[in-house]
PDB file of all heavy atoms in Angstrom:
ATOM      1  N   PRO A 374     -24.451   8.410  72.390  1.00 98.00           N
ATOM      2  CA  PRO A 374     -24.181   7.404  73.429  1.00 98.00           C
ATOM      3  C   PRO A 374     -22.776   7.484  74.002  1.00 98.00           C
ATOM      4  O   PRO A 374     -21.805   7.724  73.278  1.00 98.00           O
ATOM      5  CB  PRO A 374     -24.406   6.079  72.683  1.00 98.00           C
ATOM      6  CG  PRO A 374     -25.391   6.418  71.619  1.00 98.00           C
ATOM      7  CD  PRO A 374     -25.030   7.801  71.175  1.00 98.00           C
ATOM      8  N   HIS A 375     -22.687   7.294  75.309  1.00 98.00           N
ATOM      9  CA  HIS A 375     -21.419   7.312  76.049  1.00 98.00           C
ATOM     10  C   HIS A 375     -20.686   8.652  75.861  1.00 98.00           C
ATOM     11  O   HIS A 375     -19.467   8.722  75.965  1.00 98.00           O
ATOM     12  CB  HIS A 375     -20.520   6.154  75.611  1.00 98.00           C
ATOM     13  CG  HIS A 375     -20.966   4.826  76.135  1.00 98.00           C
ATOM     14  ND1 HIS A 375     -20.232   4.081  77.025  1.00 98.00           N
ATOM     15  CD2 HIS A 375     -22.099   4.102  75.892  1.00 98.00           C
ATOM     16  CE1 HIS A 375     -20.875   2.945  77.304  1.00 98.00           C
ATOM     17  NE2 HIS A 375     -22.017   2.944  76.621  1.00 98.00           N
ATOM     18  N   PHE A 376     -21.446   9.712  75.538  1.00 98.00           N
ATOM     19  CA  PHE A 376     -20.898  11.056  75.301  1.00 98.00           C
ATOM     20  C   PHE A 376     -19.884  11.036  74.156  1.00 98.00           C
ATOM     21  O   PHE A 376     -18.871  11.752  74.189  1.00 98.00           O
ATOM     22  CB  PHE A 376     -20.259  11.635  76.569  1.00 98.00           C
ATOM     23  CG  PHE A 376     -21.241  11.870  77.676  1.00 98.00           C
ATOM     24  CD1 PHE A 376     -21.157  11.162  78.875  1.00 98.00           C
ATOM     25  CD2 PHE A 376     -22.274  12.784  77.524  1.00 98.00           C
ATOM     26  CE1 PHE A 376     -22.068  11.377  79.901  1.00 98.00           C
ATOM     27  CE2 PHE A 376     -23.187  13.009  78.550  1.00 98.00           C
ATOM     28  CZ  PHE A 376     -23.087  12.300  79.731  1.00 98.00           C
ATOM     29  N   TYR A 377     -20.183  10.231  73.122  1.00 97.00           N
ATOM     30  CA  TYR A 377     -19.360  10.218  71.911  1.00 97.00           C
ATOM     31  C   TYR A 377     -19.314  11.634  71.310  1.00 97.00           C
ATOM     32  O   TYR A 377     -20.331  12.311  71.231  1.00 97.00           O
ATOM     33  CB  TYR A 377     -19.936   9.230  70.906  1.00 97.00           C
ATOM     34  CG  TYR A 377     -19.292   9.239  69.548  1.00 97.00           C
ATOM     35  CD1 TYR A 377     -17.979   8.818  69.376  1.00 97.00           C
ATOM     36  CD2 TYR A 377     -19.992   9.678  68.431  1.00 97.00           C
ATOM     37  CE1 TYR A 377     -17.377   8.831  68.128  1.00 97.00           C
ATOM     38  CE2 TYR A 377     -19.411   9.682  67.181  1.00 97.00           C
ATOM     39  CZ  TYR A 377     -18.099   9.262  67.030  1.00 97.00           C
ATOM     40  OH  TYR A 377     -17.510   9.286  65.786  1.00 97.00           O
ATOM     41  N   GLN A 378     -18.139  12.100  70.923  1.00 96.00           N
ATOM     42  CA  GLN A 378     -17.871  13.439  70.371  1.00 96.00           C
ATOM     43  C   GLN A 378     -18.050  14.549  71.407  1.00 96.00           C
ATOM     44  O   GLN A 378     -18.075  15.727  71.055  1.00 96.00           O
ATOM     45  CB  GLN A 378     -18.761  13.734  69.150  1.00 96.00           C
ATOM     46  CG  GLN A 378     -18.432  12.904  67.917  1.00 96.00           C
ATOM     47  CD  GLN A 378     -19.244  13.319  66.696  1.00 96.00           C
ATOM     48  OE1 GLN A 378     -20.289  13.967  66.798  1.00 96.00           O
ATOM     49  NE2 GLN A 378     -18.755  12.966  65.524  1.00 96.00           N
ATOM     50  N   ALA A 379     -18.155  14.200  72.684  1.00 97.00           N
ATOM     51  CA  ALA A 379     -18.378  15.212  73.716  1.00 97.00           C
ATOM     52  C   ALA A 379     -17.071  15.590  74.407  1.00 97.00           C
ATOM     53  O   ALA A 379     -16.035  14.920  74.267  1.00 97.00           O
ATOM     54  CB  ALA A 379     -19.383  14.714  74.743  1.00 97.00           C
ATOM     55  N   ASP A 380     -17.123  16.678  75.157  1.00 97.00           N
ATOM     56  CA  ASP A 380     -15.993  17.119  75.969  1.00 97.00           C
ATOM     57  C   ASP A 380     -15.577  15.983  76.911  1.00 97.00           C
ATOM     58  O   ASP A 380     -16.423  15.369  77.576  1.00 97.00           O
ATOM     59  CB  ASP A 380     -16.432  18.347  76.781  1.00 97.00           C
ATOM     60  CG  ASP A 380     -15.273  19.031  77.484  1.00 97.00           C
ATOM     61  OD1 ASP A 380     -14.444  18.320  78.088  1.00 97.00           O
ATOM     62  OD2 ASP A 380     -15.208  20.270  77.451  1.00 97.00           O
ATOM     63  N   PRO A 381     -14.284  15.659  76.976  1.00 97.00           N
ATOM     64  CA  PRO A 381     -13.819  14.568  77.858  1.00 97.00           C
ATOM     65  C   PRO A 381     -14.248  14.730  79.310  1.00 97.00           C
ATOM     66  O   PRO A 381     -14.338  13.734  80.042  1.00 97.00           O
ATOM     67  CB  PRO A 381     -12.289  14.646  77.727  1.00 97.00           C
ATOM     68  CG  PRO A 381     -12.050  15.263  76.383  1.00 97.00           C
ATOM     69  CD  PRO A 381     -13.182  16.229  76.178  1.00 97.00           C
ATOM     70  N   ALA A 382     -14.543  15.955  79.736  1.00 97.00           N
ATOM     71  CA  ALA A 382     -14.965  16.172  81.127  1.00 97.00           C
ATOM     72  C   ALA A 382     -16.248  15.407  81.441  1.00 97.00           C
ATOM     73  O   ALA A 382     -16.414  14.885  82.556  1.00 97.00           O
ATOM     74  CB  ALA A 382     -15.166  17.660  81.387  1.00 97.00           C
ATOM     75  N   TYR A 383     -17.159  15.328  80.471  1.00 98.00           N
ATOM     76  CA  TYR A 383     -18.410  14.598  80.695  1.00 98.00           C
ATOM     77  C   TYR A 383     -18.153  13.084  80.757  1.00 98.00           C
ATOM     78  O   TYR A 383     -18.790  12.378  81.541  1.00 98.00           O
ATOM     79  CB  TYR A 383     -19.414  14.916  79.589  1.00 98.00           C
ATOM     80  CG  TYR A 383     -19.783  16.382  79.510  1.00 98.00           C
ATOM     81  CD1 TYR A 383     -19.619  17.102  78.332  1.00 98.00           C
ATOM     82  CD2 TYR A 383     -20.294  17.050  80.618  1.00 98.00           C
ATOM     83  CE1 TYR A 383     -19.950  18.446  78.258  1.00 98.00           C
ATOM     84  CE2 TYR A 383     -20.632  18.392  80.554  1.00 98.00           C
ATOM     85  CZ  TYR A 383     -20.454  19.091  79.368  1.00 98.00           C
ATOM     86  OH  TYR A 383     -20.777  20.413  79.296  1.00 98.00           O
ATOM     87  N   ILE A 384     -17.236  12.621  79.936  1.00 97.00           N
ATOM     88  CA  ILE A 384     -16.913  11.193  79.911  1.00 97.00           C
ATOM     89  C   ILE A 384     -16.212  10.776  81.201  1.00 97.00           C
ATOM     90  O   ILE A 384     -16.536   9.750  81.805  1.00 97.00           O
ATOM     91  CB  ILE A 384     -16.026  10.869  78.694  1.00 97.00           C
ATOM     92  CG1 ILE A 384     -16.713  11.323  77.398  1.00 97.00           C
ATOM     93  CG2 ILE A 384     -15.692   9.382  78.642  1.00 97.00           C
ATOM     94  CD1 ILE A 384     -15.816  11.290  76.179  1.00 97.00           C
ATOM     95  N   ASN A 385     -15.263  11.597  81.624  1.00 97.00           N
ATOM     96  CA  ASN A 385     -14.450  11.254  82.801  1.00 97.00           C
ATOM     97  C   ASN A 385     -15.196  11.420  84.115  1.00 97.00           C
ATOM     98  O   ASN A 385     -14.737  10.947  85.156  1.00 97.00           O
ATOM     99  CB  ASN A 385     -13.191  12.115  82.822  1.00 97.00           C
ATOM    100  CG  ASN A 385     -12.301  11.851  81.617  1.00 97.00           C
ATOM    101  OD1 ASN A 385     -12.291  10.737  81.078  1.00 97.00           O
ATOM    102  ND2 ASN A 385     -11.560  12.865  81.179  1.00 97.00           N
TER     103      ASN A 385
END
Side-chain angles (χ1 to χ4, degrees):
H375 286 245
F376 295 116
Y377 173 67
Q378 291 186 341
D380 190 315
Y383 299 124
I384 304 169
N385 297 331

